[in-house]
């Protein structure tokens, strides 16, 4: 039995790595949220009113931009969107329902659903209250986005410049200045860099060890934040990396026969988070008129995974789609044999992205006590 189990594990690992060699990235993530039908608007300091929420990053916050670009990193098909809207409405969000972009917008009292910037059906009012520029499969490392044929952070900033011009045409220069300076900005990316680009690209591993590669990521993050500030952003939240080694796909690849959490990936993410947090502190002193807020996702998610029952969940080591061990993106589709009916019991929707229900809990843990720091 032991030999058979070992053989099955090796076969699964070979299959997954072979699939990843054809899909150099496997999508991405990060978190913070509240469910679609029970969004709670938080009390803001000094009766502040936030005019817009604007989001940059990867698949954790991509509300559908990848639907409109030429990439295989999409999820605008079932079973994605199983619980979105009226049900079974795949929108391009990498989950069963809403994702952090939507929930953060709701928490700041702006709107319940944050649209993707590239949606050709966007109305003027949609633009005025904010959009997501995020693109699933992207990262801090430019090679990550290039490998996946998705929008890099540079591309996303260029789209933001275009966005500013559009809203200026609608409401004029003064109102645009207010929207841009008083809006809330969220940056959420980096998981694909470590889980995919570094792990599977000989280009990076040949020239960087993990300390050097996390330096590269931190440098790219700093450049992005400085550019965003230069374009008028003043209230910026930066979400760190989660406990990547405990994500179902990473357990399958690196967790051995028992699919334990991968220590090496968790160590790498903790190292990056430490550098990112320190850099945000340094930048805050340099540009004191801005509010830069580091949002820790690593520890809240790890606590949920280690003690799921405490947070209302039952399954923490696999996703709801298929086996839950490796399915994500195009590998989780309408032909996938089994989709769980009880998503509320699962922390993960697919092997890489949390469920809407898990995002709800994470939102409270990650964001609620940090709201005041944006003002």
């Amino acid at each position: 039995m032991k030999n058979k189990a070992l053989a099955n594990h090796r076969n699964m690992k070979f299959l997954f790595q072979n699939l990843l060699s054809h899909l150099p990235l496997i999508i991405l993530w990060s978190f913070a949220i509240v469910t679609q039908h029970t969004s709670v608007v938080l009390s803001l300091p000094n009766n502040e009113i936030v005019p817009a929420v604007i989001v940059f990053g990867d698949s954790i916050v991509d509300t559908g931009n990848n639907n409109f670009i030429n990439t295989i990193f999409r999820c605008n098909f079932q079973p994605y969107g199983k619980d979105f809207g009226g049900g079974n409405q795949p929108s391009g969000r990498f989950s069963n329902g809403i994702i952090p972009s939507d929930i953060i917008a709701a928490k700041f009292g702006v709107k319940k659903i944050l649209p993707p910037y590239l949606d050709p059906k966007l109305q003027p009012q949609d633009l005025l209250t904010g959009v997501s520029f995020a693109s699933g499969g992207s990262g801090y490392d430019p090679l990550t986005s290039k490998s996946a044929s998705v929008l890099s952070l540079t591309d996303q900033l260029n789209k933001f410049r275009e966005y500013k011009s559009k809203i200026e045409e609608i409401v004029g220069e003064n109102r645009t200045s207010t929207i841009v300076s008083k809006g809330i900005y969220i940056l959420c990316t980096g998981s694909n860099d470590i889980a995919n680009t570094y792990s599977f690209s000989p280009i990076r591993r040949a020239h960087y060890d993990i300390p050097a590669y996390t330096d590269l990521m931190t440098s790219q993050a700093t450049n992005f934040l400085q550019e965003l500030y230069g374009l008028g952003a003043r209230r910026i939240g930066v979400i760190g990396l989660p406990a990547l080694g405990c994500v179902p796909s990473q357990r399958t690849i690196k967790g051995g026969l028992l699919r334990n959490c991968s220590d090496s990936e968790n160590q790498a993410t903790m190292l990056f988070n430490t550098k990112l947090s320190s850099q945000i502190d340094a930048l805050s002193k340099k540009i004191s008129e801005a509010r830069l807020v580091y949002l820790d996702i690593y520890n809240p998610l790890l606590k949920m995974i280690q003690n799921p029952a405490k947070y209302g969940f039952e399954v923490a080591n696999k996703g709801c789609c298929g086996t839950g061990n490796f399915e994500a993106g195009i590998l989780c589709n309408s032909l996938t044999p089994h989709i769980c009916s009880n998503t509320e019991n699962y922390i993960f929707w697919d092997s890489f992205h949390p469920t809407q229900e898990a995002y709800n809990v994470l939102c409270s843990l990650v964001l609620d006590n940090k709201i005041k720091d944006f003002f």
Side-chain angles (χ1 to χ4, degrees), residues 2-66:
K2 184 177 180 181
N3 290 338
K4 185 177 180 181
L6 183 59
N8 287 338
H9 170 72
R10 287 172 176 167
N11 289 338
M12 174 77 74
K13 184 173 180 180
F14 173 78
L15 171 63
F16 195 27
Q17 290 180 331
N18 189 45
L19 287 166
L20 283 174
S21 71
H22 292 89
L23 306 177
L25 275 158
I26 203 163
I27 332 292
L28 129 33
W29 88 333
S30 224
F31 326 79
I33 255 166
V34 116
T35 65
Q36 188 169 351
H37 303 293
T38 58
S39 298
V40 177
V41 179
L42 296 177
S43 177
L44 305 183
N46 304 318
N47 297 315
E48 287 273 1
I49 296 177
V50 173
V53 169
I54 296 165
V55 177
F56 302 90
D58 54 38
S59 61
I60 288 312
V61 286
D62 179 0
T63 55
N65 284 308
N66 279 15

Side-chain angles (χ1 to χ4, degrees), residues 129-164:
T129 51
V131 293
S132 171
F133 295 95
S135 184
S138 63
Y140 288 116
D141 183 350
L143 180 61
T144 299
S145 304
K146 183 178 180 181
S147 299
S149 298
V150 298
L151 300 179
S152 66
L153 287 181
T154 297
D155 294 330
Q156 293 178 37
L157 274 182
N158 287 336
K159 296 295 182 186
F160 177 62
R161 290 184 177 93
E162 182 181 279
Y163 163 85
K164 286 179 61 181

Side-chain angles (χ1 to χ4, degrees), residues 142-366:
L143 180 61
T144 299
S145 304
K146 183 178 180 181
S147 299
S149 298
V150 298
L151 300 179
S152 66
L153 287 181
T154 297
D155 294 330
Q156 293 178 37
L157 274 182
N158 287 336
K159 296 295 182 186
F160 177 62
R161 290 184 177 93
E162 182 181 279
Y163 163 85
K164 286 179 61 181
S165 297
K166 286 183 179 180
I167 61 173
E168 190 169 327
E169 289 177 6
I170 299 169
V171 297
E173 186 177 347
N174 288 341
R175 175 98 184 273
T176 297
S177 178
T178 299
I179 292 171
V180 170
S181 64
K182 292 189 176 295
I184 296 292
Y185 297 79
I186 297 293
L187 173 61
C188 171
T189 194
S191 294
N192 284 328
D193 296 325
I194 291 176
N196 300 310
T197 304
Y198 187 79
S199 294
F200 297 103
S201 169
I203 298 174
R204 289 303 188 228
R205 293 181 73 89
H207 296 94
Y208 297 88
D209 57 12
I210 278 294
Y213 189 66
T214 51
D215 283 344
L216 170 68
M217 292 171 62
T218 305
S219 174
Q220 293 292 329
T222 303
N223 292 341
F224 176 88
L225 293 171
Q226 289 176 321
E227 276 199 71
L228 186 59
Y229 173 80
L231 292 170
R234 294 295 180 268
R235 298 167 170 175
I236 308 169
V238 185
I239 301 176
L241 297 187
L244 268 181
C246 296
V247 173
S249 63
Q250 305 314 110
R251 287 175 179 263
T252 301
I253 299 170
K254 298 186 176 181
L257 186 61
L258 299 178
R259 297 183 65 252
N260 295 315
C261 291
S262 167
D263 216 33
S264 61
E265 291 208 343
N266 281 347
Q267 291 294 329
T269 54
M270 284 192 289
L271 178 61
F272 171 73
N273 286 341
T274 299
K275 293 178 180 180
L276 179 65
S277 178
S278 297
Q279 194 58 40
I280 288 172
D281 288 342
L283 269 179
S284 295
K285 295 172 183 175
K286 184 178 178 182
I287 48 178
S288 57
E289 60 270 42
R291 294 289 180 267
L292 297 175
V293 184
Y294 175 73
L295 299 170
D296 171 36
I297 190 70
Y298 184 99
N299 290 298
L301 180 65
L302 187 60
K303 289 176 181 177
M304 288 173 64
I305 291 171
Q306 291 174 337
N307 190 2
K310 179 180 177 180
Y311 300 93
F313 300 98
E314 296 177 7
V315 185
N317 64 349
K318 64 179 182 178
C320 176
C321 184
T323 65
N325 294 337
F326 66 88
E327 296 90 344
I330 62 172
L331 301 180
C332 173
N333 56 63
S334 59
L335 299 178
T336 301
H338 172 73
I339 307 297
C340 72
S341 59
N342 53 340
T343 54
E344 67 276 5
N345 293 338
Y346 284 71
I347 290 178
F348 293 96
W349 163 248
D350 60 21
S351 71
F352 210 70
H353 305 92
T355 58
Q356 169 181 270
E357 293 79 6
Y359 280 135
N360 178 29
V361 175
L362 278 165
C363 184
S364 295
L365 297 174
V366 173

Side-chain angles (χ1 to χ4, degrees), residues 70-82:
N70 187 21
T71 178
I72 62 170
F73 290 92
R74 295 183 182 182
C75 61
N76 55 340
F77 45 80
Q78 294 184 15
Y80 287 93
K82 176 178 177 290

